[in-house]
Amino acid sequence: MNQTLETIYQHVSVRSFTEEKLTQNEIKELVTAAQSAATASYQQSYSIIGITDDKIKSKIAEYAGNQPFIKESPELFIFIADLHRNKEMSKRLGIDVSRAIENVDATIVGAVDASIAAQNMVIAAESMGLGTCYIGGVRDGIEEISKLLEIPNDAYPVFGLVIGHPDQRNDLKPRIPFDGIYTTNKYFKDESKIIDDYNEETRSYYQNRSGRKSNRTWADTSIKSIEKHPRDYMKRFLNKRGLAKY
């Protein structure tokens, strides 16, 4: 196994960091790694906002579900699906792309570009011995955070990413078995056994991990998350910003 694969396979979310900040050179390396990611048709429909103001970071932590570790993290990056820049470029070319940007596919393209770039940043960070954690809770306070960061129409925050020197790491979580994720040519015929077996494996993980123990399964965790975060305001929010209308 090469070093890149070893780094990827050992990924865990880190929510406890030392107070050591990243250097400006490290930040530049991480952003450059993000920019090296694949992008749809060379659009690069994303932007990254680094949060250096502690007051702004505290507000984001509050809006993103009152998660203290966000406020305490050394570095916070907000990844933006950015169609605004595309619209500005189109004006210089005398081309009206308003209808295309209002289409739901453009909204998806921005989210995909931001996600691929962020994952590049995560792999780069972990290869440097740093810890990372995605913050989907940014979408819980998406309207307030968008105002706070002065994000224009035709753009929206997809998620946050905290990065720093780990003070404590979680145990490695088992993933869905290979045969439960990968199939050939057609969708799975029957997922029942895969789900049942994996639930038992994850129950054992939660009961025996070094951190807070519990008697729950993958299904308990994932389905409760879906139930808790329907975010049914997202379409209304995106439509107000000129996105996902059609």
Side-chain angles (χ1 to χ4, degrees), residues 80-84 146 151-157 237-238 241 243:
I80 310 297
D82 192 348
L83 289 307
H84 175 76
S146 296
I151 297 171
N153 282 346
D154 308 307
Y156 65 97
F237 169 82
L238 291 170
R241 294 193 152 251
L243 298 170

Side-chain angles (χ1 to χ4, degrees), residues 105-117:
D105 190 62
T107 305
I108 293 171
V109 165
V112 170
D113 267 14
S115 299
I116 297 172

Side-chain angles (χ1 to χ4, degrees), residues 24-37:
Q24 285 304 305
N25 187 59
E26 286 173 326
I27 291 172
K28 187 169 184 179
E29 287 177 337
L30 292 174
V31 173
T32 302
Q35 288 187 273
S36 301

Side-chain angles (χ1 to χ4, degrees), residues 4-111:
T4 302
L5 288 176
E6 181 68 24
T7 298
I8 292 171
Y9 292 170
Q10 294 302 308
H11 166 76
V12 295
S13 293
V14 174
R15 296 179 178 84
S16 179
F17 302 94
T18 70
E19 294 182 358
E20 184 179 356
K21 296 277 191 181
L22 301 188
T23 67
Q24 285 304 305
N25 187 59
E26 286 173 326
I27 291 172
K28 187 169 184 179
E29 287 177 337
L30 292 174
V31 173
T32 302
Q35 288 187 273
S36 301
T39 171
S41 302
Y42 200 41
Q43 289 180 31
Q44 303 170 84
S45 298
Y46 68 94
S47 294
I48 306 168
I49 301 178
I51 307 302
T52 59
D53 186 314
D54 287 340
K55 290 181 181 178
I56 293 177
K57 190 191 291 185
S58 293
K59 278 291 185 185
I60 292 173
E62 177 188 338
Y63 295 142
N66 288 308
Q67 301 184 73
F69 80 93
I70 299 173
K71 179 175 63 175
E72 295 160 5
S73 66
E75 307 294 340
L76 171 61
F77 302 91
I78 305 294
F79 279 77
I80 310 297
D82 192 348
L83 289 307
H84 175 76
R85 184 168 53 230
N86 295 346
K87 185 176 277 190
E88 289 301 305
M89 287 193 296
S90 73
K91 292 176 184 177
R92 289 164 171 74
L93 296 174
I95 301 172
D96 185 3
V97 296
S98 299
R99 175 83 181 188
I101 285 177
E102 289 174 356
N103 191 284
V104 69
D105 190 62
T107 305
I108 293 171
V109 165

Side-chain angles (χ1 to χ4, degrees), residues 184-196:
T184 55
N185 301 319
K186 294 182 180 179
Y187 193 76
F188 302 95
K189 292 291 186 185
D190 182 14
E191 294 179 292
S192 301
K193 187 175 187 311
I194 291 166
I195 292 171
D196 292 342

